[in-house]
Amino acid sequence: MKICICGYTGKTGSKVYELLKDNNYDVYGVDLDNPTIENIKQFDLLIDFTNKESSLNYIQQCISNRVDFIVGTTGFLKDELEKIKYDCQKSNVKGIICYNFSLPVNYLLNSFRFFNEYFENFLYFDVHHISKLDKISGTTNLFSNKNSKIIVKSIKSKKNTISYIIQMTSKYDKMNITYQVNDKKAFALGILYYLKTNNEDYIENLIG
C-alpha cells in the first residue's frame, strides 16, 4: 500500500508519518503549503492533517481520482460533509473524516448512549494549548453531538497536554472521566490500528 501523508511536518501529521514509517508502510510526505499533488493516482490512500481549505482540495482530488482518504482536519460545515459523503458514494471512494483518532476517545463516543440514558447532567471541559486556533475543538463537537444537554467550557492552557474532562451526575450518583493526551502519537496509533485491521467500527466517521 502506497500512502500519501499531507501535512507530514505538522504536530499530528509528523507522528503519523513516523509511526507508519516505523511499521514499514510505503509513505510519501507532502508539506502544508502544497495543496496539489502530482499524479495522485499513484497512491492507494491519502491521509490528511493540514487545514480545512487544503483538506477540501485534497478530498476533491481523491474523489476525482478514486483514491481512498483519511482526514483528521477539523472545521467542516454540515453541508460540506453531506456533499463529501454524496460524492464519495457516487465515485465509490471510501472516505473517513474523524476529528479524533484516539482509540479510547472513539470507544467512549460509541458508548455514550448508555451515559445519556443513565445520567441527567453533563459538564464538559475542553483543555487545549493557547496556540490552538479552534475555540471549541472538533472532539468537543463530537461529544456535543452525542448529547445536546452537555454544558461545554473551553479552557486555554500553557501546557502542551490536551485534556477532555466529562462530569456526569444523577440524583443518586456521579461519574467523572478524564482523558489526557501527552503525545499526539496517541492519534497516530488510531490510524495504524485502522490500517492493520481495516476495522472502522470504532471510528466516529462524520461522513460514514
Side-chain angles (χ1 to χ4, degrees):
M1 175 184 288
K2 191 171 184 179
I3 302 172
C4 177
I5 301 180
C6 302
Y8 82 109
T9 58
K11 292 178 180 178
T12 304
S14 60
K15 299 292 184 178
V16 175
Y17 183 85
E18 291 165 7
L19 185 62
L20 298 192
K21 272 280 191 183
D22 290 344
N23 281 268
N24 300 316
Y25 283 90
D26 184 7
V27 294
Y28 175 85
V30 174
D31 213 338
L32 289 167
D33 57 357
N34 184 16
T36 302
I37 303 171
E38 279 190 42
N39 190 22
I40 193 172
K41 290 183 178 180
Q42 68 180 297
F43 299 109
D44 302 298
L45 177 71
L46 181 140
I47 299 175
D48 172 74
F49 283 93
T50 56
N51 55 65
K52 179 185 168 183
E53 183 179 355
S54 294
S55 287
L56 287 170
N57 186 305
Y58 292 134
I59 289 170
Q60 190 54 56
Q61 289 183 65
C62 286
I63 293 173
S64 297
N65 291 278
R66 289 182 168 78
V67 175
D68 295 339
F69 62 85
I70 296 174
V71 170
T73 303
T74 63
F76 293 97
L77 301 176
K78 184 178 180 180
D79 60 337
E80 291 171 332
L81 293 170
E82 288 176 352
K83 184 179 186 308
I84 292 169
K85 179 178 181 179
Y86 172 81
D87 290 342
C88 284
Q89 292 174 339
K90 187 176 180 181
S91 299
N92 196 28
V93 170
K94 179 182 283 188
I96 295 175
I97 298 179
C98 182
Y99 289 165
N100 191 317
F101 281 92
S102 158
L103 292 170
V105 165
N106 278 275
Y107 180 82
L108 181 58
L109 285 164
N110 286 322
S111 306
F112 217 70
R113 180 187 300 176
F114 167 79
F115 299 120
N116 288 340
E117 294 174 352
Y118 187 87
F119 292 106
E120 299 165 2
N121 302 299
F122 297 81
L123 183 60
Y124 182 103
F125 295 91
D126 178 320
V127 185
H128 274 83
H129 190 267
I130 54 176
S131 64
K132 185 172 179 61
L133 296 178
D134 296 345
K135 183 178 179 181
I136 299 295
S137 71
T139 303
T140 298
N141 285 328
L142 289 176
F143 278 105
S144 296
N145 289 338
K146 292 291 182 181
N147 187 320
S148 60
K149 296 184 293 183
I150 287 181
I151 298 173
V152 174
K153 294 188 178 182
S154 180
I155 301 171
K156 297 296 184 181
S157 170
K158 291 184 179 180
K159 296 181 180 180
N160 286 320
T161 56
I162 302 168
S163 297
Y164 308 108
I165 304 165
I166 307 174
Q167 298 178 352
M168 300 172 282
T169 60
S170 74
K171 294 177 181 178
Y172 316 107
D173 53 5
K174 64 181 180 180
M175 181 175 183
N176 294 339
I177 297 175
T178 299
Y179 180 70
Q180 181 173 300
V181 179
N182 300 315
D183 189 320
K184 290 196 173 182
K185 188 175 179 179
F187 306 135
L189 288 169
I191 299 283
L192 179 62
Y193 171 85
Y194 171 72
L195 293 179
K196 285 188 171 183
T197 65
N198 200 32
N199 176 14
E200 59 181 285
D201 290 343
Y202 81 95
I203 297 176
E204 284 291 313
N205 186 2
L206 295 175
I207 58 171

